[in-house]
């Protein structure tokens, strides 16, 4: 939230500075004053709608920061132009606002039309992003009221003819040089319009191809958090006391960090908290909650890498996961679900998949959700048992009654009934050979040894059976260091590697999930949503211009908005994210607004 606040403050300062350069102090102040007024109006509407101030709603307010002042500049400059030409300030305020009133309304409506379809993004991502289009809409509606009703009345009092002459004299040389340079550039571009258009279109195509093939995409970028979790799993046969001893050894690794880096350390044994809704319990599970100091010299990724190497030296830790605070919804970056019928092929495919992921640079903490159970005795009947009239249910009940016991009666002690359990003595139950000497009673009353009618085998059982669409599954999880790898591309490599699983193991499938599944689910709806937004914008522009062609002229600038997004990400060295796409939507709103105002102004100039 502090980062967002700083970004908003810097953006607001830049806007005020630019307004002061071109409009000077009084007009710049009144124009810029519309920003906080519109934001406060948007916050009031947010409160009525039930939207809280959080990271997403504040992001929406910062996103709309530049849009709020766009229309105010248009109105202010048009009123100022009429006063410069000698018109009375009050008449200039009325006429100047009326001239650009409908284009200003259209710019707001087109921007709202670009954002509102984001409410149709499906799934968890849609719920997560829903505050952004609503906040943008509320702020724009509040700014429209301020621009059309409040701002002109103030400008009528501030911009007097004498003030306009004084400002014109002070800024004419600079603006004159800029206007002459722009005029010369525009004349050259119009003279070579096909060459210029083809060149710009080629640059756009190249940048779009660069973004598609060369720039990585992540749903949400990682941020530098001072808090992370270390989840670990030990042998399934461990008691909670055993896990506690292993947790103490893991604690010593964390406490070995250089002085000044560790702020606090908390340990949970018997439970692992994966996120705010998912908790796993078990005597073999543990978790370390590590909080780092804010004034440390090393980054959290570097510290986590050191701890990861230290904890790998603890042989009793079978699985380990380093979990940072996430910047959006979702779970592990890589989630690969292997589905089939039998456990043997599933485990084989799971081992192959984990080995493949481990060999990819940048992939961290590869693990699966399969946990072996405790050692158990498995009993299968021989054909002789059937001949004696025994079935598996009868044998199982007698074994259970002998070792677990059966309630024979109760005795009453005060107001409580105490059950009387009949079972083998404790010494017998603890002897390994007791089951071999166990006698099964037949229907005739005769008894036979269990070993004579059944096969007894000691094996490790399953602690949990997971299914997906009625198929038994093992899910492999992994995290990705975004500096070295990309979750989408890693998932693509896994998909290509195991494309022939159905041939090798008929009936078995490898399903890609995690961040990739989230990205595909969300992005699959973007083309449909984009088409809807473009059609809405076209209808609004067509209504304004009463033309089928001029809206296309305005919208022809939209593809060029991509150029700035791609160049900006390349210069900053950042990957494209889902929020980058949201920023592109805002940029499209700016581009359409500016093109709309220019086309409308040209139409008016040609009409006169």
């Amino acid at each position: 939230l502090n980062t967002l606040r700083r970004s908003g403050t810097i953006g607001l300062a830049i806007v005020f500075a630019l307004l002061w350069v071109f409009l000077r102090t009084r007009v710049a102040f009144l124009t810029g004053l519309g920003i906080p007024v519109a934001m406060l109006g948007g916050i009031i509407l947010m409160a009525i709608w039930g939207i809280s101030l959080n990271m997403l709603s504040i992001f929406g307010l910062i996103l709309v920061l530049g849009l709020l002042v766009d229309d105010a500049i248009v109105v202010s400059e048009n009123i100022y132009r009429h006063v410069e030409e000698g018109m009375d300030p009050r008449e200039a305020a009325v006429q100047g606002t009326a001239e650009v009133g409908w284009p200003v309304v259209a710019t707001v409506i087109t921007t709202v039309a670009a954002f509102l379809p984001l409410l149709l993004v499906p799934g968890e991502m849609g719920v997560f992003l829903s505050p952004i289009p609503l906040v943008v809409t509320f702020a724009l509606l509040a700014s429209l009221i301020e621009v059309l009703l409040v701002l002109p009345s103030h400008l009528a009092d501030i911009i007097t003819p004498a003030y306009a002459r004084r400002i014109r004299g002070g800024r004419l040389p600079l603006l004159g040089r800029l206007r002459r340079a722009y005029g010369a550039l525009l004349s050259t571009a119009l003279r070579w319009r096909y060459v210029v258009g083809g060149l710009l279109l080629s640059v756009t195509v190249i940048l779009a191809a660069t973004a598609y093939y060369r720039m990585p995409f992540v749903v949400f970028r990682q941020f530098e958090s001072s808090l992370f979790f270390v989840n670990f799993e030990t042998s399934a046969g461990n008691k909670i006391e055993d896990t506690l001893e292993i947790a103490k050894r893991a604690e010593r690794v964390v406490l070995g960090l250089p002085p000044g880096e560790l702020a606090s350390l908390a340990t949970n044994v018997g439970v692992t908290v994966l996120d705010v809704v998912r908790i796993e319990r078990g005597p073999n599970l543990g978790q370390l909650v590590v909080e780092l100091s804010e004034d440390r010299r090393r980054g959290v990724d570097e510290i986590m890498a050191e701890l990861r190497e230290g904890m790998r030296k603890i042989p009793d830790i079978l699985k380990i996961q380093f979990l940072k605070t996430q910047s959006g919804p979702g779970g592990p970056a890589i989630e690969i679900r292997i589905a089939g019928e039998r456990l043997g092929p599933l485990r084989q495919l799971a081992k192959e998949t984990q080995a493949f992921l481990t060999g990819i640079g940048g992939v961290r903490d590869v693990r699966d959700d399969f946990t072996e159970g405790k050692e158990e005795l498995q009993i299968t009947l021989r054909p002789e048992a059937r001949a004696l009239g025994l079935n598996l249910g009868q044998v199982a009940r007698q074994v259970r009654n002998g070792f677990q016991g059966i309630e024979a009666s109760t005795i009453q002690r005060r107001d409580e009934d105490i059950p009387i359990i009949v079972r083998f003595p404790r010494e017998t139950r603890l002897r390994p050979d007791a089951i071999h000497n166990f006698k099964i009673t037949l229907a005739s009353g005769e008894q036979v040894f269990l070993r004579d009618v059944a096969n007894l085998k000691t094996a490790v059982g399953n602690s949990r059976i997971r299914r997906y669409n009625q198929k038994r599954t093992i899910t492999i999880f992994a995290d990705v260091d975004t500096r070295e790898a990309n979750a989408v591309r890693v998932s693509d490599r896994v998909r290509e590697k195991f494309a022939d699983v159905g041939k090798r193991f008929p009936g078995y499938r490898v399903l890609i999930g995690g961040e990739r599944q989230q990205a595909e689910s969300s992005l699959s709806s973007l083309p449909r949503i984009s088409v809807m937004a473009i059609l809405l914008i076209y209808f609004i522009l067509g209504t304004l211009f009463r033309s089928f062609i001029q809206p296309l002229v305005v919208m022809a600038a939209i593809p060029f908005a991509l150029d700035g997004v791609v160049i900006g990400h390349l210069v900053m060295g950042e990957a494209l994210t889902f929020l980058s796409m949201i920023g592109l939507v805002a940029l499209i709103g700016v581009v359409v607004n500016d093109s709309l105002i220019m086309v409308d102004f040209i139409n008016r100039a040609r009409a006169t």
Side-chain angles (χ1 to χ4, degrees), residues 155-191:
L155 291 177
D157 295 329
I158 294 298
I159 305 178
T160 61
Y163 179 77
R165 286 193 298 270
R166 188 168 68 252
I167 297 301
R168 180 178 56 188
R171 68 172 182 167
L172 186 59
L174 173 62
L175 293 182
R177 286 193 295 269
L178 289 175
R179 185 174 296 152
R180 286 192 295 272
Y182 170 68
L185 178 64
L186 182 59
S187 298
T188 304
L190 291 175
R191 191 163 51 250

Side-chain angles (χ1 to χ4, degrees), residues 34-48:
I35 295 177
V37 170
M39 282 195 169
L40 290 173
I43 290 173
I44 292 173
L45 292 175
M46 286 167 54
I48 296 173

Side-chain angles (χ1 to χ4, degrees), residues 71-87:
D71 299 331
I73 292 175
V74 172
V75 172
S76 300
E77 184 63 28
N78 202 44
I79 294 173
Y80 176 79
R81 179 174 64 87
H82 282 299
V83 176
E84 263 191 332
E85 294 172 354
M87 188 177 292

Side-chain angles (χ1 to χ4, degrees), residues 346-599:
L346 286 178
R347 295 196 64 184
Q348 180 180 341
L349 283 171
K351 290 179 180 178
E352 292 180 13
T353 307
Q354 291 184 71
F356 179 74
L357 287 172
T358 304
I360 300 176
V363 179
R364 303 282 186 266
D365 300 338
V366 181
R367 59 204 181 276
D368 61 45
D369 64 353
F370 176 78
T371 303
E372 290 185 341
K374 297 183 179 181
E375 191 176 35
E376 63 184 21
L377 183 69
Q378 298 177 354
I379 303 174
T380 55
L381 292 186
R382 295 179 182 177
E384 295 91 329
R386 307 290 182 184
L388 294 173
L390 289 173
N391 58 47
L392 193 58
Q394 293 171 329
V395 174
R397 279 193 297 273
Q398 292 191 43
V399 172
R400 181 188 62 189
N401 292 342
F403 285 86
Q404 183 177 333
I406 183 172
E407 183 176 334
S409 181
T410 60
I411 58 174
Q412 190 169 8
R413 181 177 296 169
R414 295 180 185 156
D415 57 349
E416 184 179 4
D417 290 335
I418 307 298
I420 300 175
I421 305 297
V422 179
R423 59 184 175 183
F424 292 152
R426 177 178 175 83
E427 296 76 13
T428 303
R429 298 199 310 269
L430 295 179
R431 284 208 320 266
D433 62 335
I435 192 67
H436 294 275
N437 298 323
F438 186 85
K439 290 183 178 181
I440 298 293
T441 302
L442 304 178
S444 61
E446 298 180 11
Q447 291 185 326
V448 295
F449 285 105
L450 178 62
R451 62 176 182 267
D452 294 333
V453 295
N455 295 318
L456 308 178
K457 182 178 69 172
T458 301
V460 176
N462 298 325
S463 63
R464 186 179 300 170
I465 296 177
R466 291 178 171 88
R467 293 185 180 272
Y468 178 76
N469 287 342
Q470 300 181 355
K471 297 285 187 180
R472 180 174 284 188
T473 63
I474 294 179
T475 305
I476 294 94
F477 306 99
D479 297 308
V480 172
D481 186 344
T482 54
R483 297 170 299 179
E484 303 179 36
N486 176 264
V488 176
R489 293 179 182 172
V490 171
S491 298
D492 285 337
R493 292 182 61 179
V494 173
R495 191 192 299 273
E496 294 172 4
K497 173 70 175 178
F498 296 94
D500 61 342
V501 164
K503 298 178 181 178
R504 294 167 51 201
F505 300 92
Y508 291 78
R509 292 189 301 162
V510 175
L511 307 172
I512 307 299
E515 190 171 313
R516 170 60 186 261
Q517 188 181 53
Q518 211 176 68
E520 287 183 348
S521 174
S522 301
L523 293 179
S524 63
S525 65
L526 286 184
R528 184 180 70 254
I529 292 173
S530 301
V531 170
M532 187 180 300
I534 289 173
L535 287 176
L536 284 173
I537 293 173
Y538 178 82
F539 290 142
I540 294 168
L541 296 178
T543 303
L544 175 67
F545 291 120
R546 299 178 182 179
S547 167
F548 292 103
I549 302 300
Q550 288 196 352
L552 298 177
V553 175
V554 172
M555 296 171 66
I558 291 178
F560 298 101
L562 179 66
D563 298 354
V565 173
V566 176
I567 292 173
H569 281 75
L570 289 174
V571 171
M572 298 288 290
E574 296 286 349
L576 287 169
T577 67
F578 197 91
L579 294 182
S580 301
M581 302 297 101
I582 305 300
L584 177 60
V585 173
L587 185 57
I588 288 174
V590 174
V591 170
V592 170
N593 292 354
D594 296 340
S595 301
L596 187 157
I597 295 295
M598 177 172 284
V599 171

Side-chain angles (χ1 to χ4, degrees), residues 213-279:
Y213 291 104
R214 295 295 181 184
M215 293 186 67
F217 177 84
V218 296
V219 180
F220 289 95
R221 58 174 293 188
Q222 294 292 333
F223 62 94
E224 185 74 8
S225 173
S226 61
L227 184 72
F228 63 89
F229 306 89
V230 183
N231 299 329
F232 63 89
E233 183 178 327
T234 64
S235 175
N238 280 353
K239 297 183 293 184
I240 197 166
E241 292 81 6
D242 303 325
T243 306
L244 178 60
E245 293 303 317
I246 297 171
K248 290 179 179 179
R249 295 169 62 184
E251 282 183 336
R252 287 195 287 270
V253 174
V254 178
L255 295 173
L257 289 173
E261 287 192 345
L262 182 64
S264 68
L265 172 63
T267 304
N268 300 320
V269 177
V271 62
T272 296
V273 182
L274 300 177
D275 52 40
V276 294
V277 296
R278 292 189 300 163
I279 299 176

